[in-house]
Amino acid sequence: MASTLHGVPAASGIAIGTCLLYDPVPPEVPHYSIDANGVGAERARLERAVKISAQELGQLRDHVHVHVGKQEADIFDAHLLILEDDALLDGAHARISDELVNAEWALWQAAEEFSQMLLELDSYFQARANDIHDIRMRVIAHLQGRSTTQLQNLSEPVIIVAHDLLPSDTAGLNPAYVLGLVTEQGGPTSHTAILARQMGIPAVVGAKDILTTLQHAHTREIRVALDGSTGVVEIDPDEQILAAYQRAAQEYHQLKEQLQTLRTLSATTRDGVHVEVAANIGRPQDAKVAVEAGANGVGLFRTEFLFLDRTTPPSEEEQLSAYSTVLAAFAGKTVIVRTLDIGGDKSIPYLKLQAESNPFLGLRGIRLCLAEAHQHLFRTQLRALLRAAEKSQAALWIMFPMIDDLRELRQAKAFLAETEKILLSEGMLQTAVQDRLRVGIMVETPAAALLMDVLAKEADFFSIGTNDLAQYTLASDRMNASLAELHRPFHPAVMRSIAQIVTTARKHNRWVGMCGELAGDARASLFLLGLGINELSMEPNSLNMVKQKIRSATLSEAQALVQHVLAAETAEDLDALFQA
């Protein structure tokens, strides 16, 4: 049954081990009538199960807060809020009293009705409909006296393979018993991917048809090998493939240990050319991890993570605290904060956004922030950023996402200037700070790439977002597994677009960095160095590998590579070139 499947890389690392197929069968929900005299007892039984479930969720939240992080723990606060919602529990109690049915059936039907109601609302509440499924499974398990911690009671190390994993499935996992994770569903920003990265568990998501391929896993032991950096999953690998993965795993661990020696060193070529290496972060607590990993600043603070998995938007004071924490961690260095980037594959609570047939081409990034209905979110964020900048020992650079042309950039800058005037008039700022800031844009659309010379007149800096740049350049949805061949790491059109962006920016004396996935791919480091890029920003785990590559070369070698890359005609040519 040996076979190879390809999914979406979610968390780097090599995993080899026995497969645990986690495909829980929905519980058989009994449906029977009760006597009118038994209504009180049945309602009491439901209330006990709900109370136990709430206690369990609270413990799970606290465990995740300590061992993973507050943002991940907030998922379970949302579960608790749903569990306490009158619309759900009153509906179940009413069915017990009015229809004289048992608690399991009453809860199942009430939850189904509640879920359908949420599916008719915006994308945030649609996502919460999935949480209701998780919650009702938990309560019904307690009603039936069954365990709810199937994956949390592992006794030996395994690779977990599932259609998808609910937040409560992944959050309570013990990394000592989880070698790797593979799911059919999900993307790089799914709960599974985020938690796997935080816990250091190699993971692949979006591996289509893996459950079908593993249909015999219940009857015999099946070994799986996966590479979380490439998204490749090997099922029942032969001895040759298995040996290759074992070597790769050993080399990966050895390399990580060796690279730690570079943590305090700079990314400087043998002939003295320096490139800044910075970290991409999404939460304030990530700053400490980035500093310890050797980041020389923050090249991308994804502030939308402050807005997700909440029931209300973060207040100005909450955001001020978050930004101040990161700026304090990088005193004397540069922190680039990307303003709210919502839309496309990222939904946000509190917004009743209309469904879009192609959300990647719709209301997202700066378009959403400048829309009148959502300007209050943008205003609050800019207020917090300006206030944080006033007392900061770090250099704060503000970056606007999804800018297409000069009109949008001017509108965003004017909004920023207006916000500063409001703060000064309120006495919330003692002095103007905008002159101390740099204001730039993400370059992630072909329009911005083609208008670099025009945008350079008013943008202080540029940062290339290669994930979306590749998607828009190739007119190919990067979340569509059927188009994986187009989204190989290197494509001639994308390489040429990057070259034009960097060359034009440097021609106009503008600082230019890169914060997309390509920045953390050490194979591309010399190409980007040869173009003249100023900074590469990446996940902290990639920092030292990129440093190693840059420190091993000279500028002339990098510039020679650029010529070969730009002459390549196919993605296959580029793969071979970078591999060599």
Side-chain angles (χ1 to χ4, degrees):
M1 197 181 92
S3 60
T4 302
L5 297 178
H6 297 270
V8 178
S12 61
I14 304 291
I16 305 168
T18 302
C19 159
L20 171 66
L21 184 60
Y22 181 66
D23 189 19
V25 178
E28 290 187 10
V29 182
H31 180 198
Y32 55 85
S33 299
I34 62 172
D35 187 88
N37 294 328
V39 168
E42 203 69 13
R43 292 180 61 164
R45 194 164 70 91
L46 176 59
E47 288 170 2
R48 282 196 299 271
V50 168
K51 183 178 179 180
I52 294 170
S53 297
Q55 292 172 343
E56 195 172 65
L57 283 169
Q59 292 169 356
L60 190 54
R61 175 200 59 203
D62 296 342
H63 171 83
V64 173
H65 193 174
V66 172
H67 296 284
V68 183
K70 181 181 182 302
Q71 181 182 339
E72 291 75 14
D74 287 344
I75 296 167
F76 303 103
D77 275 326
H79 282 203
L80 283 166
L81 287 173
I82 293 172
L83 196 57
E84 297 165 358
D85 196 299
D86 291 341
L88 175 61
L89 297 181
D90 286 355
H93 284 307
R95 279 177 167 79
I96 293 173
S97 301
D98 299 342
E99 300 175 20
L100 297 178
V101 294
N102 58 302
E104 292 92 341
W105 184 257
L107 178 68
W108 189 269
Q109 293 300 314
E112 191 68 25
E113 184 178 284
F114 193 33
S115 175
Q116 290 301 317
M117 179 183 72
L118 293 183
L119 287 171
E120 295 175 2
L121 302 177
D122 66 31
S123 55
Y124 169 73
F125 290 103
Q126 290 167 12
R128 299 286 72 78
N130 292 329
D131 293 337
I132 291 172
H133 175 69
D134 190 7
I135 291 162
R136 75 176 174 184
M137 294 274 281
R138 182 179 299 277
V139 175
I140 288 175
H142 284 301
L143 281 167
Q144 298 177 338
R146 294 185 291 105
S147 170
T148 61
T149 54
Q150 199 171 345
L151 290 181
Q152 287 74 24
N153 291 333
L154 297 173
S155 58
E156 59 183 21
V158 293
I159 291 176
I160 298 170
V161 179
H163 177 72
D164 201 1
L165 290 170
L166 296 166
S168 55
D169 290 326
T170 50
L173 292 176
N174 183 345
Y177 293 113
V178 183
L179 301 173
L181 298 171
V182 186
T183 62
E184 284 192 336
Q185 297 296 311
T189 59
S190 66
H191 288 311
T192 300
I194 293 170
L195 289 168
R197 286 194 290 269
Q198 292 295 324
M199 292 188 285
I201 300 173
V204 175
V205 298
K208 284 190 172 182
D209 300 324
I210 191 166
L211 291 181
T212 302
T213 307
L214 290 169
Q215 59 185 322
H216 301 300
H218 286 303
T219 58
R220 69 180 184 88
E221 186 176 282
I222 290 184
R223 177 164 287 192
V224 171
L226 70 91
D227 187 336
S229 302
T230 64
V232 176
V233 182
E234 301 284 353
I235 298 171
D236 253 358
D238 59 31
E239 291 303 318
Q240 184 177 0
I241 293 176
L242 189 60
Y245 269 80
Q246 289 169 336
R247 288 193 300 271
Q250 185 177 8
E251 291 168 2
Y252 180 78
H253 289 296
Q254 289 175 345
L255 181 59
K256 285 184 70 176
E257 291 179 1
Q258 293 169 0
L259 290 173
Q260 283 300 307
T261 62
L262 300 177
R263 189 178 65 83
T264 59
L265 302 179
S266 64
T268 304
T269 64
R270 298 202 315 269
D271 52 349
V273 177
H274 179 69
V275 177
E276 294 292 341
V277 287
N280 295 343
I281 67 172
R283 309 167 306 165
Q285 57 265 43
D286 295 342
K288 181 180 178 182
V289 176
V291 170
E292 292 174 350
N296 202 47
V298 174
L300 173 63
F301 186 172
R302 302 181 179 100
T303 59
E304 56 272 12
F305 280 87
L306 302 176
F307 290 73
L308 299 175
D309 289 317
R310 298 174 55 103
T311 55
T312 58
S315 67
E316 182 177 328
E317 296 302 321
E318 283 182 272
Q319 292 189 61
L320 173 61
S321 175
Y323 305 143
S324 298
T325 297
V326 175
L327 290 167
F330 285 95
K333 297 180 170 44
T334 298
V335 173
I336 301 178
V337 176
R338 181 177 69 187
T339 58
L340 187 58
D341 186 16
I342 289 296
D345 58 337
K346 290 172 287 189
S347 62
I348 190 174
Y350 354 115
L351 300 182
K352 295 184 178 179
L353 298 176
Q354 293 184 349
E356 296 178 302
S357 58
N358 194 333
F360 278 107
L361 300 181
L363 191 66
R364 59 169 303 197
I366 200 65
R367 302 169 185 174
L368 183 144
C369 287
L370 291 175
E372 187 174 352
H374 310 300
Q375 285 182 6
H376 64 286
L377 291 174
F378 195 32
R379 180 82 71 194
T380 300
Q381 179 173 44
L382 293 182
R383 286 175 62 95
L385 284 169
L386 289 167
R387 290 175 61 194
E390 185 175 35
K391 299 178 181 179
S392 172
Q393 298 298 310
L396 172 63
W397 295 11
I398 295 177
M399 178 165 65
F400 300 125
M402 282 298 291
I403 293 287
D404 263 345
D405 54 32
L406 202 55
R407 175 188 59 85
E408 288 179 329
L409 176 57
R410 285 173 174 168
Q411 286 180 338
K413 290 179 68 176
F415 200 87
L416 177 63
E418 181 183 63
T419 303
E420 184 182 63
K421 288 181 180 179
I422 294 171
L423 287 170
L424 287 168
S425 68
E426 294 174 348
M428 299 298 288
L429 282 181
Q430 301 307 308
T431 59
V433 297
Q434 196 172 343
D435 290 343
R436 290 160 34 196
L437 303 176
R438 285 198 184 188
V439 178
I441 69 168
M442 286 272 284
V443 182
E444 48 196 331
T445 69
L450 292 169
L451 290 173
M452 284 291 294
D453 57 331
V454 175
L455 292 166
K457 296 176 182 178
E458 299 197 25
D460 296 327
F461 69 92
F462 301 99
S463 187
I464 306 170
T466 53
N467 302 349
D468 274 332
L469 180 65
Q471 172 173 244
Y472 294 129
T473 299
L474 300 173
S476 171
D477 182 354
R478 58 188 170 94
M479 301 300 289
N480 188 334
S482 302
L483 303 176
E485 187 63 24
L486 275 174
H487 287 281
R488 297 164 67 169
F490 310 109
H491 189 286
V494 179
M495 296 298 106
R496 293 184 184 191
S497 182
I498 291 169
Q500 177 184 328
I501 292 166
V502 177
T503 302
T504 307
R506 297 309 298 269
K507 180 180 177 181
H508 289 82
N509 298 313
R510 287 293 181 266
W511 185 100
V512 58
M514 177 179 287
C515 58
E517 290 298 316
L518 192 65
D521 191 328
R523 293 172 298 173
S525 298
L526 298 188
F527 168 67
L528 299 169
L529 167 70
L531 289 175
I533 205 156
N534 295 101
E535 180 195 76
L536 297 172
S537 187
M538 63 207 74
E539 300 301 325
N541 285 337
S542 301
L543 285 165
N544 292 325
M545 193 171 293
V546 169
K547 285 184 184 179
Q548 182 189 55
K549 180 66 70 173
I550 291 172
R551 290 175 64 86
S552 70
T554 64
L555 179 60
S556 59
E557 290 170 346
Q559 290 172 334
L561 175 62
V562 169
Q563 299 307 312
H564 291 295
V565 170
L566 297 182
E569 297 180 349
T570 67
E572 290 79 7
D573 292 342
L574 285 171
D575 284 342
L577 181 61
F578 282 117
Q579 188 64 36

